[in-house]
Amino acid sequence: MSDIFETLDGLYASGDSAAVEKTIQNAIDSRFLQTGGIDADSASLYNELAGFYRGVSRYDESAAAFDRARRIFEELGMENTPGYASVQLNLAGLYRLQGRHDEAVDLFLQAKALLESAGREGDYAYASILNNLALVYQDMGKLDDAYDSAHRAFELMSGSSSAEHEIATSYNNLAALALRAGREAEAEELALKAISLYSQMPEENVHHAAALTTLGTILFRKGNYKSSLEAFTQALELTERFFGKNVEYAVTERNLASVYQALGQTGEAIARQRSALETAERIFGQDNERTRAYREFLDTLTAAGDGQKG
């Protein structure tokens, strides 16, 4: 199994999403031939496949794979294991992306309680749960809870030399919270710390784009449009490299459209927003609330462009 995950690490880094999916599916098929697919390795592989589908915004397939992983662990009587907690944690992340916030919090808290009962509050996985809880609480507007979770994750990992990822994630979460509170200078300092950590990692990290997006938002609000454009463009490139044109890709293109609009480059803004809308329609459908908002912004940009021509 370790060889498979080493292979996957290389494929993720190269951005070959088709090869990632094929490799995981082939490994699942191989386990089925050997064990009938009812073993811990099969459950871990379904968990990995579900995480991949979540990353590329194939949410229905992601939910089905997570469900399969959970049912295998449950059939094996392994509900109180780190592997099962990992599935719960990742499924909660899917729920957050789908806007099912209460369900996400419930699962994150279950995984957190499981690690606490095992005396593993100092683990990387525990800090990851806290950082993910911070994201959900932000989405729900529970900013005090979000801050407490992000700050606790930072405190737990700050003394570790091998937890740069969770430290950087904590910095980015705290930056987003500072920005929402109107503390732009503090937010920028924290975002830059996160980006510095990601930049020093030996391999590009999938969450580097999130920190760049935070920085881009801060710079946009400050009116520093050219630097904001650079941050969003780099975030877009990293997102496409790791996940293709997923939800975060659409959001970043929407951000770029706003920057180009502020720069007076309406044609480029329209092109970016049209692409963002196409991605949103593919993922959510034409009648989704987010899709409608993207379409309305495109209409606004188009009208402005027509006015300039006139």
Side-chain angles (χ1 to χ4, degrees):
M1 282 288 290
S2 60
D3 291 343
I4 292 172
F5 288 110
E6 287 177 8
T7 299
L8 288 173
D9 286 343
L11 293 173
Y12 278 120
S14 70
D16 193 344
S17 59
V20 169
E21 181 178 7
K22 183 177 180 180
T23 298
I24 300 172
Q25 192 60 64
N26 286 344
I28 288 173
D29 293 342
S30 177
R31 294 304 304 170
F32 184 82
L33 291 174
Q34 296 177 49
T35 68
I38 307 299
D39 65 308
D41 285 347
S42 293
S44 296
L45 287 166
Y46 274 110
N47 186 36
E48 185 74 19
L49 182 64
F52 166 76
Y53 285 145
R54 185 187 64 186
V56 296
S57 301
R58 291 161 61 178
Y59 294 152
D60 290 343
E61 292 167 282
S62 178
F66 278 133
D67 182 63
R68 180 60 179 157
R70 287 206 298 181
R71 285 190 286 113
I72 292 172
F73 276 128
E74 289 165 1
E75 190 168 339
L76 294 170
M78 297 177 64
E79 296 96 324
N80 295 316
T81 63
Y84 189 81
S86 174
V87 176
Q88 296 285 83
L89 173 61
N90 291 331
L91 178 59
L94 173 63
Y95 287 162
R96 183 182 74 83
L97 291 172
Q98 292 178 311
R100 299 162 63 179
H101 297 132
D102 289 335
E103 293 171 273
V105 169
D106 285 345
L107 283 181
F108 281 133
L109 292 178
Q110 287 177 31
K112 179 172 174 284
L114 181 61
L115 291 181
E116 287 171 346
S117 66
R120 296 178 56 190
E121 290 93 336
D123 283 12
Y124 175 94
Y126 190 80
S128 179
I129 292 170
L130 290 173
N131 273 321
N132 277 285
L133 273 169
L135 290 172
V136 183
Y137 287 140
Q138 283 185 62
D139 293 343
M140 299 172 76
K142 297 182 176 181
L143 302 187
D144 289 341
D145 290 334
Y147 179 85
D148 288 344
S149 290
H151 193 261
R152 178 62 177 150
F154 174 74
E155 287 182 329
L156 286 172
M157 294 292 101
S158 60
S160 173
S161 60
S162 60
E164 293 91 348
H165 165 68
E166 289 305 328
I167 295 171
T169 300
S170 299
Y171 275 138
N172 188 44
N173 284 338
L174 291 168
L177 290 165
L179 182 60
R180 290 187 66 165
R183 302 194 303 271
E184 292 183 355
E186 178 186 348
E188 185 172 359
E189 180 181 355
L190 289 164
L192 288 171
K193 286 182 178 180
I195 290 169
S196 177
L197 282 175
Y198 285 128
S199 299
Q200 294 172 33
M201 293 179 185
E203 295 183 1
E204 189 64 73
N205 190 281
V206 297
H207 298 291
H208 190 174
L212 287 164
T213 296
T214 301
L215 180 63
T217 302
I218 295 166
L219 295 170
F220 180 81
R221 292 190 184 182
K222 291 174 62 178
N224 191 345
Y225 300 133
K226 289 185 178 180
S227 295
S228 175
L229 184 67
E230 293 174 2
F232 283 137
T233 299
Q234 189 178 352
L236 190 76
E237 292 170 352
L238 286 172
T239 299
E240 184 173 22
R241 174 179 160 190
F242 282 106
F243 302 117
K245 295 185 177 183
N246 67 352
V247 170
E248 285 77 16
Y249 187 92
V251 170
T252 307
E253 287 218 295
R254 168 64 174 81
N255 291 335
L256 282 167
S258 293
V259 178
Y260 281 118
Q261 180 190 35
L263 289 168
Q265 300 180 35
T266 307
E268 187 63 34
I270 290 171
R272 290 293 185 180
Q273 185 58 22
R274 182 175 290 116
S275 178
L277 175 60
E278 290 172 356
T279 301
E281 287 178 337
R282 175 176 53 79
I283 295 170
F284 299 112
Q286 293 193 350
D287 296 327
N288 179 270
E289 181 179 355
R290 181 178 297 189
T291 305
R292 290 197 299 271
Y294 276 37
R295 189 178 298 112
E296 289 170 4
F297 185 46
L298 177 60
D299 290 342
T300 299
L301 292 171
T302 303
D306 291 342
Q308 290 174 359
K309 293 177 185 176

